[in-house]
Amino acid sequence: MDVLHAAGIRCAEALQAGPPCLQTFWLSVTSLADPKSIFTVCFPLAYFLDREVGVAVLWTGLLAEWLNVVSKWFLFGERPFWWVHESRLFEEQPVSVQQFPVSCETGPGHPSGHCMITGAALWPFVTALTALASRHSRSTVVRLSPFAAYALLLLAVGLSRVFVLAHFPHQVVVGILAGAALGWSLQARAPAARSLRFFACTSLALLLGAVALHRAMTAAGVDIDW
């Protein structure tokens, strides 16, 4: 893993060595793609445009958030900013990497929450736009443009997380793939016709399930807060 981590640090170093104007871009992307934006911006917008799409965005975002947290308890994963100092592999040949206010995220880093949650929650929105484009145009370029924008967005988010030393490249890749897979699999199962009581019970079950799992792992001697 040290070889993989070291390669990731070199990637971050190369990104940070780019034109200074890109620094503002990467910082803006990582800020705007925060998972909270799914619930405060994307869900209300999608719900305003179409109720079923809005519910699907909320549903996939909620489950992706939960699964990401639980996955990190099992997979752990180093954070680049901390690993550079703890590994001591670069003491003889120091790397030139810069710290940002968002660099010092704590907790496990695998997989990337930004990529996984954004990738899952935006999938219903993108497929709805693709269906809309297909009804109004026969052009392949027009019909595929929503998914092209989706792919470019996830790529930008992933690179921004590597840039700020919040994640290694492999954590970003796994986050993107897991997010897209979740979005694809959960979209058709979005409970758009369910009552508010169903969502309240589901949220409570997820909360209690996470607490119970956390207690069980702690009792088993697993240091989740490592």
Side-chain angles (χ1 to χ4, degrees), residues 51-86:
R51 181 182 180 277
E52 291 189 3
V53 176
V55 172
V57 168
L58 180 63
W59 178 250
T60 53
L62 174 67
L63 294 184
E65 178 90 45
W66 189 88
L67 287 170
N68 182 257
V69 171
V70 172
S71 297
K72 287 179 177 178
W73 290 348
F74 289 95
L75 299 176
F76 292 104
E78 298 276 1
R79 293 280 188 173
F81 175 79
W82 303 106
W83 183 83
V84 167
H85 300 287
E86 294 175 353

mmCIF file of all heavy atoms in Angstrom, residues 51-86:
data_model
loop_
_atom_site.group_PDB
_atom_site.id
_atom_site.type_symbol
_atom_site.label_atom_id
_atom_site.label_comp_id
_atom_site.label_asym_id
_atom_site.label_seq_id
_atom_site.Cartn_x
_atom_site.Cartn_y
_atom_site.Cartn_z
ATOM 1 N N ARG A 51 -41.456 15.452 -9.031
ATOM 2 C CA ARG A 51 -41.514 14.893 -7.690
ATOM 3 C C ARG A 51 -40.806 13.538 -7.601
ATOM 4 O O ARG A 51 -40.049 13.283 -6.668
ATOM 5 C CB ARG A 51 -42.973 14.728 -7.242
ATOM 6 C CG ARG A 51 -43.107 14.157 -5.828
ATOM 7 C CD ARG A 51 -44.556 13.958 -5.433
ATOM 8 N NE ARG A 51 -44.635 13.417 -4.087
ATOM 9 C CZ ARG A 51 -44.511 12.126 -3.779
ATOM 10 N NH1 ARG A 51 -44.282 11.244 -4.758
ATOM 11 N NH2 ARG A 51 -44.582 11.708 -2.527
ATOM 12 N N GLU A 52 -41.038 12.656 -8.574
ATOM 13 C CA GLU A 52 -40.434 11.326 -8.526
ATOM 14 C C GLU A 52 -38.910 11.399 -8.616
ATOM 15 O O GLU A 52 -38.206 10.665 -7.918
ATOM 16 C CB GLU A 52 -40.997 10.455 -9.650
ATOM 17 C CG GLU A 52 -42.463 10.077 -9.453
ATOM 18 C CD GLU A 52 -42.922 9.051 -10.461
ATOM 19 O OE1 GLU A 52 -42.086 8.595 -11.278
ATOM 20 O OE2 GLU A 52 -44.118 8.698 -10.439
ATOM 21 N N VAL A 53 -38.421 12.274 -9.467
ATOM 22 C CA VAL A 53 -36.970 12.438 -9.584
ATOM 23 C C VAL A 53 -36.396 12.992 -8.284
ATOM 24 O O VAL A 53 -35.349 12.552 -7.813
ATOM 25 C CB VAL A 53 -36.622 13.366 -10.767
ATOM 26 C CG1 VAL A 53 -35.111 13.619 -10.815
ATOM 27 C CG2 VAL A 53 -37.091 12.756 -12.074
ATOM 28 N N GLY A 54 -37.106 13.957 -7.688
ATOM 29 C CA GLY A 54 -36.654 14.529 -6.427
ATOM 30 C C GLY A 54 -36.567 13.488 -5.323
ATOM 31 O O GLY A 54 -35.586 13.444 -4.571
ATOM 32 N N VAL A 55 -37.579 12.635 -5.227
ATOM 33 C CA VAL A 55 -37.569 11.579 -4.211
ATOM 34 C C VAL A 55 -36.434 10.596 -4.475
ATOM 35 O O VAL A 55 -35.766 10.132 -3.534
ATOM 36 C CB VAL A 55 -38.924 10.844 -4.188
ATOM 37 C CG1 VAL A 55 -38.859 9.620 -3.282
ATOM 38 C CG2 VAL A 55 -40.024 11.789 -3.708
ATOM 39 N N ALA A 56 -36.188 10.283 -5.753
ATOM 40 C CA ALA A 56 -35.102 9.362 -6.100
ATOM 41 C C ALA A 56 -33.743 9.950 -5.713
ATOM 42 O O ALA A 56 -32.867 9.245 -5.213
ATOM 43 C CB ALA A 56 -35.131 9.048 -7.594
ATOM 44 N N VAL A 57 -33.562 11.256 -5.936
ATOM 45 C CA VAL A 57 -32.309 11.915 -5.553
ATOM 46 C C VAL A 57 -32.123 11.850 -4.040
ATOM 47 O O VAL A 57 -31.038 11.526 -3.541
ATOM 48 C CB VAL A 57 -32.307 13.386 -6.030
ATOM 49 C CG1 VAL A 57 -31.149 14.159 -5.399
ATOM 50 C CG2 VAL A 57 -32.215 13.445 -7.554
ATOM 51 N N LEU A 58 -33.183 12.157 -3.297
ATOM 52 C CA LEU A 58 -33.099 12.121 -1.835
ATOM 53 C C LEU A 58 -32.835 10.701 -1.329
ATOM 54 O O LEU A 58 -32.019 10.488 -0.431
ATOM 55 C CB LEU A 58 -34.402 12.651 -1.230
ATOM 56 C CG LEU A 58 -34.486 12.676 0.297
ATOM 57 C CD1 LEU A 58 -33.430 13.605 0.872
ATOM 58 C CD2 LEU A 58 -35.881 13.108 0.752
ATOM 59 N N TRP A 59 -33.518 9.730 -1.915
ATOM 60 C CA TRP A 59 -33.410 8.334 -1.484
ATOM 61 C C TRP A 59 -32.000 7.791 -1.727
ATOM 62 O O TRP A 59 -31.389 7.202 -0.829
ATOM 63 C CB TRP A 59 -34.444 7.504 -2.237
ATOM 64 C CG TRP A 59 -34.438 6.039 -1.948
ATOM 65 C CD1 TRP A 59 -34.049 5.026 -2.775
ATOM 66 C CD2 TRP A 59 -34.877 5.409 -0.734
ATOM 67 N NE1 TRP A 59 -34.212 3.816 -2.167
ATOM 68 C CE2 TRP A 59 -34.717 4.014 -0.903
ATOM 69 C CE3 TRP A 59 -35.374 5.886 0.469
ATOM 70 C CZ2 TRP A 59 -35.034 3.102 0.081
ATOM 71 C CZ3 TRP A 59 -35.700 4.983 1.461
ATOM 72 C CH2 TRP A 59 -35.528 3.601 1.271
ATOM 73 N N THR A 60 -31.479 7.980 -2.940
ATOM 74 C CA THR A 60 -30.145 7.475 -3.254
ATOM 75 C C THR A 60 -29.073 8.224 -2.454
ATOM 76 O O THR A 60 -28.088 7.625 -2.005
ATOM 77 C CB THR A 60 -29.850 7.600 -4.755
ATOM 78 O OG1 THR A 60 -30.082 8.948 -5.188
ATOM 79 C CG2 THR A 60 -30.724 6.670 -5.569
ATOM 80 N N GLY A 61 -29.276 9.526 -2.269
ATOM 81 C CA GLY A 61 -28.312 10.297 -1.483
ATOM 82 C C GLY A 61 -28.272 9.849 -0.041
ATOM 83 O O GLY A 61 -27.193 9.724 0.563
ATOM 84 N N LEU A 62 -29.439 9.571 0.528
ATOM 85 C CA LEU A 62 -29.519 9.123 1.921
ATOM 86 C C LEU A 62 -28.828 7.776 2.112
ATOM 87 O O LEU A 62 -28.004 7.609 3.022
ATOM 88 C CB LEU A 62 -30.987 9.013 2.342
ATOM 89 C CG LEU A 62 -31.283 8.420 3.718
ATOM 90 C CD1 LEU A 62 -30.767 9.340 4.815
ATOM 91 C CD2 LEU A 62 -32.774 8.179 3.893
ATOM 92 N N LEU A 63 -29.137 6.814 1.257
ATOM 93 C CA LEU A 63 -28.538 5.487 1.394
ATOM 94 C C LEU A 63 -27.043 5.503 1.075
ATOM 95 O O LEU A 63 -26.262 4.792 1.710
ATOM 96 C CB LEU A 63 -29.262 4.496 0.475
ATOM 97 C CG LEU A 63 -30.722 4.199 0.836
ATOM 98 C CD1 LEU A 63 -31.296 3.138 -0.095
ATOM 99 C CD2 LEU A 63 -30.853 3.745 2.288
ATOM 100 N N ALA A 64 -26.649 6.320 0.097
ATOM 101 C CA ALA A 64 -25.228 6.415 -0.229
ATOM 102 C C ALA A 64 -24.445 7.026 0.931
ATOM 103 O O ALA A 64 -23.328 6.588 1.228
ATOM 104 C CB ALA A 64 -25.039 7.256 -1.490
ATOM 105 N N GLU A 65 -25.019 8.018 1.584
ATOM 106 C CA GLU A 65 -24.367 8.630 2.750
ATOM 107 C C GLU A 65 -24.167 7.598 3.860
ATOM 108 O O GLU A 65 -23.095 7.494 4.457
ATOM 109 C CB GLU A 65 -25.233 9.782 3.267
ATOM 110 C CG GLU A 65 -24.700 10.485 4.493
ATOM 111 C CD GLU A 65 -23.803 11.655 4.154
ATOM 112 O OE1 GLU A 65 -24.168 12.447 3.268
ATOM 113 O OE2 GLU A 65 -22.743 11.770 4.793
ATOM 114 N N TRP A 66 -25.198 6.816 4.122
ATOM 115 C CA TRP A 66 -25.123 5.800 5.174
ATOM 116 C C TRP A 66 -24.095 4.721 4.829
ATOM 117 O O TRP A 66 -23.263 4.338 5.653
ATOM 118 C CB TRP A 66 -26.500 5.176 5.377
ATOM 119 C CG TRP A 66 -26.606 4.276 6.571
ATOM 120 C CD1 TRP A 66 -26.920 4.637 7.840
ATOM 121 C CD2 TRP A 66 -26.406 2.855 6.594
ATOM 122 N NE1 TRP A 66 -26.929 3.540 8.666
ATOM 123 C CE2 TRP A 66 -26.616 2.429 7.932
ATOM 124 C CE3 TRP A 66 -26.078 1.907 5.635
ATOM 125 C CZ2 TRP A 66 -26.498 1.088 8.306
ATOM 126 C CZ3 TRP A 66 -25.955 0.587 6.013
ATOM 127 C CH2 TRP A 66 -26.174 0.184 7.330
ATOM 128 N N LEU A 67 -24.154 4.238 3.593
ATOM 129 C CA LEU A 67 -23.244 3.180 3.174
ATOM 130 C C LEU A 67 -21.795 3.659 3.150
ATOM 131 O O LEU A 67 -20.878 2.898 3.442
ATOM 132 C CB LEU A 67 -23.641 2.659 1.790
ATOM 133 C CG LEU A 67 -24.908 1.786 1.749
ATOM 134 C CD1 LEU A 67 -25.322 1.536 0.300
ATOM 135 C CD2 LEU A 67 -24.679 0.472 2.476
ATOM 136 N N ASN A 68 -21.596 4.917 2.806
ATOM 137 C CA ASN A 68 -20.240 5.451 2.789
ATOM 138 C C ASN A 68 -19.637 5.484 4.189
ATOM 139 O O ASN A 68 -18.481 5.107 4.380
ATOM 140 C CB ASN A 68 -20.239 6.853 2.180
ATOM 141 C CG ASN A 68 -18.855 7.454 2.097
ATOM 142 O OD1 ASN A 68 -18.481 8.307 2.904
ATOM 143 N ND2 ASN A 68 -18.067 7.014 1.134
ATOM 144 N N VAL A 69 -20.432 5.925 5.156
ATOM 145 C CA VAL A 69 -19.948 5.975 6.535
ATOM 146 C C VAL A 69 -19.611 4.578 7.033
ATOM 147 O O VAL A 69 -18.544 4.340 7.609
ATOM 148 C CB VAL A 69 -20.996 6.637 7.450
ATOM 149 C CG1 VAL A 69 -20.597 6.492 8.918
ATOM 150 C CG2 VAL A 69 -21.158 8.104 7.101
ATOM 151 N N VAL A 70 -20.526 3.629 6.802
ATOM 152 C CA VAL A 70 -20.310 2.260 7.270
ATOM 153 C C VAL A 70 -19.122 1.617 6.554
ATOM 154 O O VAL A 70 -18.323 0.897 7.165
ATOM 155 C CB VAL A 70 -21.593 1.433 7.073
ATOM 156 C CG1 VAL A 70 -21.337 -0.040 7.368
ATOM 157 C CG2 VAL A 70 -22.717 1.960 7.969
ATOM 158 N N SER A 71 -18.993 1.879 5.253
ATOM 159 C CA SER A 71 -17.871 1.315 4.500
ATOM 160 C C SER A 71 -16.538 1.780 5.057
ATOM 161 O O SER A 71 -15.575 1.009 5.143
ATOM 162 C CB SER A 71 -17.977 1.709 3.020
ATOM 163 O OG SER A 71 -19.144 1.169 2.425
ATOM 164 N N LYS A 72 -16.472 3.043 5.452
ATOM 165 C CA LYS A 72 -15.219 3.572 5.995
ATOM 166 C C LYS A 72 -14.869 2.916 7.329
ATOM 167 O O LYS A 72 -13.697 2.835 7.687
ATOM 168 C CB LYS A 72 -15.328 5.082 6.158
ATOM 169 C CG LYS A 72 -15.282 5.838 4.831
ATOM 170 C CD LYS A 72 -15.421 7.337 5.016
ATOM 171 C CE LYS A 72 -15.292 8.053 3.684
ATOM 172 N NZ LYS A 72 -15.471 9.509 3.814
ATOM 173 N N TRP A 73 -15.859 2.472 8.077
ATOM 174 C CA TRP A 73 -15.577 1.775 9.337
ATOM 175 C C TRP A 73 -14.872 0.450 9.092
ATOM 176 O O TRP A 73 -14.113 -0.014 9.935
ATOM 177 C CB TRP A 73 -16.872 1.529 10.109
ATOM 178 C CG TRP A 73 -17.485 2.782 10.654
ATOM 179 C CD1 TRP A 73 -16.917 4.012 10.723
ATOM 180 C CD2 TRP A 73 -18.793 2.911 11.211
ATOM 181 N NE1 TRP A 73 -17.793 4.901 11.288
ATOM 182 C CE2 TRP A 73 -18.937 4.271 11.593
ATOM 183 C CE3 TRP A 73 -19.852 2.036 11.420
ATOM 184 C CZ2 TRP A 73 -20.109 4.749 12.184
ATOM 185 C CZ3 TRP A 73 -21.009 2.511 11.997
ATOM 186 C CH2 TRP A 73 -21.143 3.853 12.371
ATOM 187 N N PHE A 74 -15.135 -0.164 7.939
ATOM 188 C CA PHE A 74 -14.531 -1.464 7.624
ATOM 189 C C PHE A 74 -13.266 -1.326 6.777
ATOM 190 O O PHE A 74 -12.322 -2.089 6.941
ATOM 191 C CB PHE A 74 -15.538 -2.347 6.893
ATOM 192 C CG PHE A 74 -16.654 -2.846 7.759
ATOM 193 C CD1 PHE A 74 -17.866 -2.172 7.819
ATOM 194 C CD2 PHE A 74 -16.502 -3.987 8.530
ATOM 195 C CE1 PHE A 74 -18.900 -2.628 8.627
ATOM 196 C CE2 PHE A 74 -17.529 -4.454 9.342
ATOM 197 C CZ PHE A 74 -18.734 -3.775 9.392
ATOM 198 N N LEU A 75 -13.259 -0.366 5.846
ATOM 199 C CA LEU A 75 -12.136 -0.230 4.925
ATOM 200 C C LEU A 75 -11.064 0.726 5.435
ATOM 201 O O LEU A 75 -9.926 0.682 4.963
ATOM 202 C CB LEU A 75 -12.644 0.264 3.558
ATOM 203 C CG LEU A 75 -13.650 -0.644 2.847
ATOM 204 C CD1 LEU A 75 -14.133 -0.001 1.557
ATOM 205 C CD2 LEU A 75 -13.041 -2.010 2.571
ATOM 206 N N PHE A 76 -11.434 1.584 6.382
ATOM 207 C CA PHE A 76 -10.523 2.599 6.921
ATOM 208 C C PHE A 76 -9.973 3.458 5.792
ATOM 209 O O PHE A 76 -10.703 4.176 5.162
ATOM 210 C CB PHE A 76 -9.412 1.944 7.748
ATOM 211 C CG PHE A 76 -9.941 1.330 9.021
ATOM 212 C CD1 PHE A 76 -10.107 -0.047 9.139
ATOM 213 C CD2 PHE A 76 -10.288 2.131 10.088
ATOM 214 C CE1 PHE A 76 -10.596 -0.603 10.306
ATOM 215 C CE2 PHE A 76 -10.784 1.590 11.257
ATOM 216 C CZ PHE A 76 -10.939 0.215 11.370
ATOM 217 N N GLY A 77 -8.725 3.392 5.513
ATOM 218 C CA GLY A 77 -8.144 4.214 4.455
ATOM 219 C C GLY A 77 -7.423 5.430 5.003
ATOM 220 O O GLY A 77 -7.986 6.215 5.759
ATOM 221 N N GLU A 78 -6.166 5.582 4.624
ATOM 222 C CA GLU A 78 -5.369 6.725 5.055
ATOM 223 C C GLU A 78 -5.853 8.018 4.401
ATOM 224 O O GLU A 78 -6.467 8.002 3.329
ATOM 225 C CB GLU A 78 -3.902 6.495 4.680
ATOM 226 C CG GLU A 78 -3.264 5.297 5.333
ATOM 227 C CD GLU A 78 -2.737 5.597 6.728
ATOM 228 O OE1 GLU A 78 -2.889 6.746 7.185
ATOM 229 O OE2 GLU A 78 -2.161 4.684 7.344
ATOM 230 N N ARG A 79 -5.540 9.121 5.048
ATOM 231 C CA ARG A 79 -5.742 10.438 4.459
ATOM 232 C C ARG A 79 -4.370 10.956 4.009
ATOM 233 O O ARG A 79 -3.411 10.920 4.787
ATOM 234 C CB ARG A 79 -6.341 11.403 5.483
ATOM 235 C CG ARG A 79 -7.751 11.062 5.913
ATOM 236 C CD ARG A 79 -8.767 11.514 4.905
ATOM 237 N NE ARG A 79 -10.138 11.340 5.414
ATOM 238 C CZ ARG A 79 -11.230 11.782 4.796
ATOM 239 N NH1 ARG A 79 -11.096 12.429 3.646
ATOM 240 N NH2 ARG A 79 -12.420 11.586 5.306
ATOM 241 N N PRO A 80 -4.242 11.432 2.768
ATOM 242 C CA PRO A 80 -2.925 11.833 2.243
ATOM 243 C C PRO A 80 -2.188 12.844 3.110
ATOM 244 O O PRO A 80 -0.983 12.705 3.326
ATOM 245 C CB PRO A 80 -3.266 12.433 0.871
ATOM 246 C CG PRO A 80 -4.536 11.770 0.488
ATOM 247 C CD PRO A 80 -5.297 11.551 1.758
ATOM 248 N N PHE A 81 -2.895 13.862 3.597
ATOM 249 C CA PHE A 81 -2.226 14.905 4.366
ATOM 250 C C PHE A 81 -1.540 14.343 5.599
ATOM 251 O O PHE A 81 -0.411 14.719 5.934
ATOM 252 C CB PHE A 81 -3.231 15.986 4.772
ATOM 253 C CG PHE A 81 -2.649 17.029 5.675
ATOM 254 C CD1 PHE A 81 -1.868 18.052 5.157
ATOM 255 C CD2 PHE A 81 -2.867 16.996 7.041
ATOM 256 C CE1 PHE A 81 -1.311 19.017 5.988
ATOM 257 C CE2 PHE A 81 -2.316 17.953 7.883
ATOM 258 C CZ PHE A 81 -1.540 18.968 7.362
ATOM 259 N N TRP A 82 -2.236 13.415 6.277
ATOM 260 C CA TRP A 82 -1.654 12.839 7.483
ATOM 261 C C TRP A 82 -0.604 11.773 7.141
ATOM 262 O O TRP A 82 0.411 11.646 7.820
ATOM 263 C CB TRP A 82 -2.755 12.200 8.352
ATOM 264 C CG TRP A 82 -3.833 13.167 8.718
ATOM 265 C CD1 TRP A 82 -5.103 13.217 8.202
ATOM 266 C CD2 TRP A 82 -3.753 14.247 9.654
ATOM 267 N NE1 TRP A 82 -5.809 14.243 8.757
ATOM 268 C CE2 TRP A 82 -5.016 14.896 9.656
ATOM 269 C CE3 TRP A 82 -2.752 14.726 10.492
ATOM 270 C CZ2 TRP A 82 -5.286 15.996 10.462
ATOM 271 C CZ3 TRP A 82 -3.015 15.821 11.293
ATOM 272 C CH2 TRP A 82 -4.266 16.448 11.272
ATOM 273 N N TRP A 83 -0.865 11.016 6.078
ATOM 274 C CA TRP A 83 0.038 9.908 5.726
ATOM 275 C C TRP A 83 1.424 10.417 5.343
ATOM 276 O O TRP A 83 2.430 9.772 5.651
ATOM 277 C CB TRP A 83 -0.562 9.110 4.570
ATOM 278 C CG TRP A 83 0.256 7.920 4.181
ATOM 279 C CD1 TRP A 83 0.262 6.684 4.759
ATOM 280 C CD2 TRP A 83 1.240 7.871 3.133
ATOM 281 N NE1 TRP A 83 1.176 5.867 4.134
ATOM 282 C CE2 TRP A 83 1.782 6.572 3.135
ATOM 283 C CE3 TRP A 83 1.694 8.789 2.200
ATOM 284 C CZ2 TRP A 83 2.759 6.167 2.236
ATOM 285 C CZ3 TRP A 83 2.678 8.413 1.305
ATOM 286 C CH2 TRP A 83 3.192 7.102 1.325
ATOM 287 N N VAL A 84 1.490 11.570 4.666
ATOM 288 C CA VAL A 84 2.786 12.122 4.263
ATOM 289 C C VAL A 84 3.697 12.295 5.469
ATOM 290 O O VAL A 84 4.892 12.000 5.421
ATOM 291 C CB VAL A 84 2.589 13.475 3.544
ATOM 292 C CG1 VAL A 84 3.910 14.211 3.416
ATOM 293 C CG2 VAL A 84 2.000 13.269 2.174
ATOM 294 N N HIS A 85 3.128 12.767 6.572
ATOM 295 C CA HIS A 85 3.941 13.021 7.768
ATOM 296 C C HIS A 85 4.203 11.744 8.569
ATOM 297 O O HIS A 85 5.265 11.600 9.176
ATOM 298 C CB HIS A 85 3.234 14.052 8.648
ATOM 299 C CG HIS A 85 3.001 15.364 7.956
ATOM 300 N ND1 HIS A 85 4.009 16.262 7.695
ATOM 301 C CD2 HIS A 85 1.873 15.912 7.448
ATOM 302 C CE1 HIS A 85 3.517 17.312 7.075
ATOM 303 N NE2 HIS A 85 2.220 17.131 6.910
ATOM 304 N N GLU A 86 3.247 10.829 8.566
ATOM 305 C CA GLU A 86 3.383 9.629 9.397
ATOM 306 C C GLU A 86 4.252 8.559 8.745
ATOM 307 O O GLU A 86 4.913 7.781 9.440
ATOM 308 C CB GLU A 86 2.001 9.058 9.698
ATOM 309 C CG GLU A 86 1.138 9.963 10.577
ATOM 310 C CD GLU A 86 -0.275 9.434 10.756
ATOM 311 O OE1 GLU A 86 -0.605 8.428 10.081
ATOM 312 O OE2 GLU A 86 -1.037 10.020 11.536
#
